[in-house]
Amino acid sequence: MTKEKAIENLDNVITNIEKARLKLDGHHIVQLVAISKYSTTDDIKTLYESGQRAFGENKVQDLKEKSTILDDLPIQWHFVGRLQTNKINQLIDLNPSLMHSLDSYEMANELDKRLKAKNTTMKCLLQINSAKEESKAGVEPQQAVEIYKKIKTDFSNIILVGVMSIGAHCDDKTIIKQSFITTKNIFDSLSDDGAVICSMGMSGDYEIAIEHGSNLIRVGSALFK
Ligand SMILES: *Cc1c(COP(=O)(O)O)cnc(C)c1O
């Protein structure tokens, strides 16, 4: 990816973010996390030099390799993928700025045990399967508030700061919207419990997500093309 192309991609996405957030509220600020899972460290560096600072990976091994290679850049790294129990310690050592994909009470228990053993903490989002799709991870919407509060009470080394969802995988905008509305309603009911981040929206649906209250979008292919 050339520098010109990176700037053009970033400009387009930021322009679209701006339109979408102004439809909602001029005070609504949206963080853009560039998902670099299909990209090389050269492309990450090019996008960094174009102004992007937050990047996310969905595999612990990739996060480790890329963040090590790009160690000299002050990048904010996010983890957005499904976490396997045998990778928990590695993820803790990588110290991501935010873990988006805490997807069950059981995983929270495993993560908290290892965080305690290492005497450290991790900021996390509870992933909600708002589209109710078999293939997606996350807690059921009906149980999300209860599980969030239970994790918060039971596991002191996990710092829950909000929720994350992947929009419905379909072409029907009404169904996609509904999945975002479901997550936003859960987010709103957790505002007294430290929920400040509502992570939803990817290349194909980030404008809809922002219009429905997302304040963090995870964009991959629209930035790296
Ligand atoms: C890959 C991925 C994204 C980005 O997807 P694009 O459609 O390429 O923007 C966002 N969130 C998660 C969890 C992902 O795995």
Side-chain angles (χ1 to χ4, degrees):
M1 184 168 64
T2 62
K3 180 87 180 277
E4 289 69 31
K5 188 64 186 161
I7 290 171
E8 185 191 323
N9 292 345
L10 204 50
D11 260 7
N12 282 335
V13 172
I14 291 170
T15 304
N16 294 336
I17 292 174
E18 202 55 19
K19 281 186 202 146
R21 76 170 192 95
L22 291 176
K23 274 190 203 167
L24 187 71
D25 172 3
H27 297 291
H28 184 75
I29 303 298
V30 179
Q31 189 188 5
L32 171 62
V33 177
I35 305 300
S36 47
K37 65 185 179 200
Y38 298 131
S39 307
T40 62
T41 48
D42 279 348
D43 283 350
I44 296 173
K45 201 167 176 187
T46 306
L47 206 59
Y48 174 88
E49 285 164 355
S50 309
Q52 180 63 26
R53 290 294 177 271
F55 292 84
E57 289 287 331
N58 71 338
K59 294 204 173 76
V60 174
Q61 191 56 36
D62 291 346
L63 179 60
K64 185 175 184 169
E65 281 170 23
K66 294 179 186 178
S67 63
T68 305
I69 292 170
L70 298 168
D71 191 37
D72 56 329
L73 302 181
I75 285 176
Q76 186 188 79
W77 286 104
H78 293 240
F79 182 75
V80 301
R82 209 174 278 211
L83 182 59
Q84 291 165 286
T85 316
N86 63 353
K87 297 281 167 61
I88 294 178
N89 279 327
Q90 268 193 53
L91 183 67
I92 295 172
D93 294 343
L94 292 168
N95 192 25
S97 92
L98 184 62
M99 193 302 200
H100 293 231
S101 40
L102 193 62
D103 60 6
S104 69
Y105 181 84
E106 293 69 33
M107 181 53 83
N109 186 21
E110 292 298 326
L111 178 59
D112 190 66
K113 265 194 253 170
R114 290 166 171 83
L115 286 166
K116 285 193 165 68
K118 289 175 180 281
N119 194 25
T120 187
T121 58
M122 191 183 288
K123 275 193 191 173
C124 296
L125 303 178
L126 182 65
Q127 183 173 352
I128 304 165
N129 189 357
S130 294
K132 296 200 169 188
E133 287 168 7
E134 273 307 314
S135 60
K136 286 196 179 106
V139 302
E140 298 273 320
Q142 300 91 320
Q143 299 178 310
V145 168
E146 191 192 334
I147 294 175
Y148 186 102
K149 290 187 180 186
K150 204 160 145 53
I151 291 174
K152 204 180 153 221
T153 310
D154 294 353
F155 306 129
S156 55
N157 291 53
I158 290 176
I159 303 165
L160 274 182
V161 291
V163 295
M164 180 276 234
S165 271
I166 298 175
H169 182 74
C170 66
D171 294 328
D172 186 338
K173 286 218 163 100
T174 316
I175 296 175
I176 299 172
K177 267 184 210 169
Q178 192 49 58
S179 65
F180 290 145
I181 290 169
T182 298
T183 303
K184 177 61 161 52
N185 286 339
I186 295 165
F187 172 69
D188 287 341
S189 57
L190 290 168
S191 63
D192 290 338
D193 296 281
V196 290
I197 298 176
C198 182
S199 165
M200 52 187 198
M202 319 199 322
S203 293
D205 56 22
Y206 66 89
E207 289 133 306
I208 304 175
I210 293 168
E211 284 170 35
H212 290 91
S214 165
N215 60 15
L216 187 159
I217 57 172
R218 310 174 309 270
V219 179
S221 42
L223 288 172
F224 294 98
K225 62 174 187 190

